């Protein structure tokens, strides 16, 4: 953008440059945009771009809602461009929808297994834990179990850590609606370093009053390390990790 000088002031477009007057009476010149908004929205030449934009928007909205639900769990963890990474993952799921055409595809019709193992930060949860617990949803009982009974000792522990704590959340979202929920596993104890994670046993969720058909359900697992000083647990930023370990469509 450049300000016009001289006695004669111009308005209009010529040679790829638009001349115009601002509300304050000053005259400027700028490069003419390639296409107008109206052309982009109505021309058949941009139909593919419009469909791609619609699908990006769909993936971005679901990604944003999920992040808002779980970000308070992750404190100051290094998230490594989380918004763009998560949106890209949801786009991959959306493109596997075999039912709808481009521009109308839905995440809930796609292959949700592609979301499993997605990391919310720079650390990979299973590398720190040495694996992941067994996850199981009982369709008949509408209950979900996170079973640590076959887990061993955490394999990657910061030198300053004296304890760790596992954190688990179940998040439900309607893809095209406003209903959503989050359930947090409560009373999970701090585990002293060196104690096997199987001490946690089975952690169960009973979301039957919140689940309904067509809802996207995400199981989020994480770990955070602490240093005990004078009986107080001080959280460490090092090696904090969260992963999306299961994703399914409620029926």
């Amino acid at each position: 953008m450049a300000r016009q000088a001289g006695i004669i002031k111009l308005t209009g477009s010529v040679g790829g440059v638009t001349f115009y007057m601002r509300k304050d009476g000053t005259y400027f010149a700028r490069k003419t945009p390639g296409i107008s908004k109206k052309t982009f929205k109505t021309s058949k030449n941009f139909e593919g771009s419009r469909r791609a934009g619609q699908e990006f928007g769909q993936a971005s909205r679901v990604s944003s809602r999920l992040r808002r639900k779980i970000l308070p769990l992750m404190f100051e963890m290094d998230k490594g461009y989380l918004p763009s990474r998560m949106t890209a993952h949801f786009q991959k799921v959306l493109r596997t929808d075999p039912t709808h055409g481009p521009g109308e595809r839905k995440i809930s019709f796609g292959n949700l297994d592609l979301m499993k193992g997605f990391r919310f930060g720079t650390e990979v949860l299973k590398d720190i834990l040495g694996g992941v617990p067994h996850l199981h949803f009982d369709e008949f009982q509408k209950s979900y179990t996170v079973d640590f009974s076959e887990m061993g000792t955490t394999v990657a522990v910061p030198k300053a850590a004296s304890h760790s704590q596992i954190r688990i959340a179940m998040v439900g979202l309607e893809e095209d609606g406003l209903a959503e929920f989050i359930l947090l596993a409560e009373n999970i104890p701090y585990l002293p370093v060196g104690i096997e994670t199987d001490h946690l046993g089975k952690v169960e969720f009973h979301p039957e009053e919140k689940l309904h058909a067509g809802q996207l359900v995400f199981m989020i697992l994480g770990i955070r390390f602490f240093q005990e000083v004078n009986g107080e647990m001080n959280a460490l930023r090092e090696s904090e990790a969260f992963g999306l370990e299961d994703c399914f469509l409620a029926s």
Side-chain angles (χ1 to χ4, degrees):
M1 182 175 63
R3 186 167 184 169
Q4 295 185 44
I7 299 175
I8 300 175
K9 301 297 191 294
L10 304 175
T11 60
S13 298
V14 61
V17 178
T18 297
F19 301 89
Y20 64 99
M21 182 184 72
R22 282 183 167 182
K23 292 181 179 180
D24 62 3
T26 56
Y27 287 80
F28 284 81
R30 66 184 175 191
K31 185 177 180 181
T32 303
I35 59 169
S36 67
K37 290 183 180 179
K38 182 178 180 180
T39 299
F40 180 80
K41 290 181 178 180
T42 60
S43 174
K44 291 184 178 180
N45 294 331
F46 298 100
E47 187 172 352
S49 297
R50 289 195 298 270
R51 289 176 176 176
Q54 289 168 349
E55 294 192 348
F56 173 81
Q58 184 77 353
S60 180
R61 283 189 292 273
V62 174
S63 171
S64 177
R65 291 173 63 196
L66 178 57
R67 294 196 313 274
R68 285 200 303 270
K69 280 294 181 184
I70 63 172
L71 281 179
L73 297 175
M74 294 185 278
F75 299 97
E76 299 178 356
M77 182 180 71
D78 183 359
K79 301 173 183 64
Y81 303 103
L82 176 58
S84 58
R85 290 192 297 106
M86 181 176 284
T87 296
H89 253 72
F90 276 120
Q91 283 183 281
K92 291 178 181 179
V93 175
L94 185 147
R95 293 187 189 114
T96 64
D97 174 4
T99 304
H100 302 89
E104 299 179 351
R105 292 180 289 202
K106 302 292 183 181
I107 293 168
S108 53
F109 283 78
N111 181 9
L112 295 174
D113 285 345
L114 295 176
M115 292 302 300
K116 295 179 181 180
F118 176 83
R119 56 181 176 82
F120 289 89
T122 56
E123 301 286 352
V124 180
L125 180 64
K126 69 177 182 179
D127 291 346
I128 294 175
L129 288 178
V132 293
H134 178 69
L135 307 171
H136 176 67
F137 178 64
D138 188 319
E139 180 66 35
F140 180 74
Q141 297 291 337
K142 298 297 182 185
S143 64
Y144 197 99
T145 303
V146 182
D147 186 358
F148 292 91
S149 61
E150 296 182 6
M151 296 289 291
T153 305
T154 300
V155 297
V157 180
K159 291 182 179 180
S162 62
H163 292 74
S164 67
Q165 186 182 48
I166 297 293
R167 302 191 174 186
I168 313 172
M170 171 184 277
V171 179
L173 301 175
E174 282 183 335
E175 182 171 3
D176 294 318
L178 298 177
E180 55 188 43
F181 71 84
I182 181 169
L183 298 175
L184 304 176
E186 299 179 349
N187 303 318
I188 295 182
Y190 294 100
L191 292 178
V193 169
I195 297 295
E196 294 188 347
T197 314
D198 65 4
H199 279 66
L200 297 178
K202 297 181 180 180
V203 179
E204 295 187 351
F205 289 83
H206 298 277
E208 61 276 2
E209 294 182 1
K210 296 181 179 294
L211 282 180
H212 58 265
Q215 201 167 33
L216 293 165
V217 183
F218 306 93
M219 292 303 302
I220 316 297
L221 276 66
I223 187 170
R224 197 169 199 205
F225 293 94
F226 298 81
Q227 184 181 63
E228 184 177 14
V229 180
N230 297 325
E232 296 287 336
M233 291 294 180
N234 299 297
L236 305 175
R237 288 189 62 182
E238 188 177 357
S239 295
E240 183 179 2
F242 276 82
L244 197 167
E245 301 304 328
D246 198 9
C247 180
F248 62 95
L249 193 68
S251 59

